[in-house]
Amino acid sequence: MKNSHPKKIFIEKDVAKSSVTQQILHKLPDVPVEYIDDYRTIKIDECKIDDVFKKSKECLAIARKKGELVKQFKCRDGIIGNTEYYISHGNNCSFDCEYCFLQSYFDNAIPTLFVNHDEILNAVKDVLQVAGDKKIVFHAGELCDALAFDGLTDLSLKFISLFSEFPNARLELRTKTTTIDNLLNVSGINNIVVSWTFSPQVIVDAYEHKTPSLEERISAAEKVQRAGCNVGICLDPIIMCEDWFNNYKAMLEMLFDRLDIEKIKFVSLGGFRYLPSLAKIIRERNPQTNLLLGEFVPCIDGKHRYFRPIRVEIYREIGKIIGEITHDVKVSLCMETREVWNTVKDVL
Ligand code: SF4
């Protein structure tokens, strides 16, 4: 519970009596509570922006998600990717990665849990039923780590139960946590993939503040596999650092040595990218950071990425490292341009 023990809880009056709210409060009996009308209006007053983020991440908000509960995601023109669905089960998380795009995405940085689970699950079910026999992919963890608060909400168990009725669909739970207890005692969950973002420990130390170490993430992935679950490996964002090649090579060798290759569903590669609005916050919060050093260029979707030859080199080298270990795991690029895909596809 290290990552989900807040100093203060804000609760929307509308969901104060909900069973999920009561379950969370039961698990956090000593935390002060403030009842509010709308989580979007919570303000954390501090002079420095870094303090606003830090203090916000020590709180928790419990709210009802209104509007789109399931969002269809399509890549913008020029960026390659499949149409997939994102489940809105929460906003933000209590970790504090320097590169997190959510810093410039929401009005506040308070980890927020949407507890209208029945409405969310019904919205997912509606999409699944319309899809029929078509293969369809859902994600949890796009706007909030998928498992960071699972110890409080048990939402993963509800997802697993729903997706067991739809074997053609797949749900990816994207995380950096070690909150896996709920996944260790369920069986026959072939269409759930728990995908960890793995980074070399030097990157974890430099940029992924308050997150579990690389070793802790690998150990959690091992346990989940042993319990029968598939895992995904996300190297996203890949961040250039001194001796990047050897750092990523050592990590990949460790991953493929420790994990069961048959139960690795995919490896996804994505270079660090950012919108100018995020760069401003990163600089303001971390004036000494090395994250934005390097050759970045604006791309067709408005995001800045490493200069194309650098990205190509990264993907080709990582593709070759994986190719020397196995050809049985699907490797793909995340949010990349057609030009880059075409230049690296022979080694993926
Ligand atoms: S774990 Fe994910 S959601 Fe949480 S701060 Fe890091 S990048 Fe953002």
Side-chain angles (χ1 to χ4, degrees), residues 10-16 18 20-21 36-40 61-72 86-92 102 105-107 112-124 142-144 155 159:
F10 295 94
I11 302 178
E12 281 187 354
K13 291 170 192 159
D14 193 22
V15 292
S18 106
V20 184
T21 304
I36 52 165
D37 290 319
D38 187 332
Y39 75 97
R40 290 166 295 192
I62 297 177
R64 175 167 178 259
K65 176 65 183 169
K66 303 161 191 92
E68 267 187 312
L69 305 176
V70 176
K71 201 168 164 189
Q72 191 182 34
Y86 293 96
I87 305 171
S88 294
H89 57 92
N91 293 348
N92 299 308
L102 301 178
Y105 192 81
F106 292 122
D107 291 337
T112 302
L113 307 180
F114 299 126
V115 292
N116 46 326
H117 286 182
D118 290 344
E119 287 174 307
I120 294 169
L121 292 164
N122 282 336
V124 175
E142 177 68 8
L143 302 178
C144 170
L155 182 57
F159 282 145

Side-chain angles (χ1 to χ4, degrees), residues 57 91-103 141-146 148 174-177 197 207-209 211 236-237:
K57 282 174 173 283
N91 293 348
N92 299 308
C93 88
S94 46
F95 301 143
D96 201 3
C97 305
E98 269 182 38
Y99 53 72
C100 181
F101 79 96
L102 301 178
Q103 294 172 102
E142 177 68 8
L143 302 178
C144 170
D145 186 289
R174 194 163 182 179
T175 190
K176 288 191 179 96
T177 67
T197 300
Y207 306 117
E208 297 179 349
H209 310 303
T211 62
D236 185 10

Side-chain angles (χ1 to χ4, degrees), residues 30-158:
D30 303 322
V31 182
V33 170
E34 180 179 331
Y35 292 92
I36 52 165
D37 290 319
D38 187 332
Y39 75 97
R40 290 166 295 192
T41 60
I42 304 170
K43 287 271 174 285
I44 301 290
D45 288 323
E46 289 293 333
C47 296
K48 293 204 298 201
I49 183 172
D50 189 42
D51 292 335
V52 173
F53 275 92
K54 285 189 172 131
K55 202 164 163 194
S56 297
K57 282 174 173 283
E58 291 173 355
C59 301
L60 185 67
I62 297 177
R64 175 167 178 259
K65 176 65 183 169
K66 303 161 191 92
E68 267 187 312
L69 305 176
V70 176
K71 201 168 164 189
Q72 191 182 34
F73 179 82
K74 284 184 183 156
C75 289
R76 290 190 54 170
D77 288 350
I79 301 294
I80 305 295
N82 298 322
T83 297
E84 298 183 343
Y85 294 86
Y86 293 96
I87 305 171
S88 294
H89 57 92
N91 293 348
N92 299 308
C93 88
S94 46
F95 301 143
D96 201 3
C97 305
E98 269 182 38
Y99 53 72
C100 181
F101 79 96
L102 301 178
Q103 294 172 102
S104 64
Y105 192 81
F106 292 122
D107 291 337
N108 74 48
I110 296 173
T112 302
L113 307 180
F114 299 126
V115 292
N116 46 326
H117 286 182
D118 290 344
E119 287 174 307
I120 294 169
L121 292 164
N122 282 336
V124 175
K125 193 168 185 174
D126 286 347
V127 178
L128 286 165
Q129 282 174 333
V130 169
D133 289 340
K134 272 199 291 184
K135 291 203 181 307
I136 177 169
V137 177
F138 284 79
H139 292 258
E142 177 68 8
L143 302 178
C144 170
D145 186 289
L147 296 175
F149 298 100
D150 205 48
L152 296 177
T153 65
D154 296 325
L155 182 57
S156 67
L157 291 175
K158 297 175 187 174

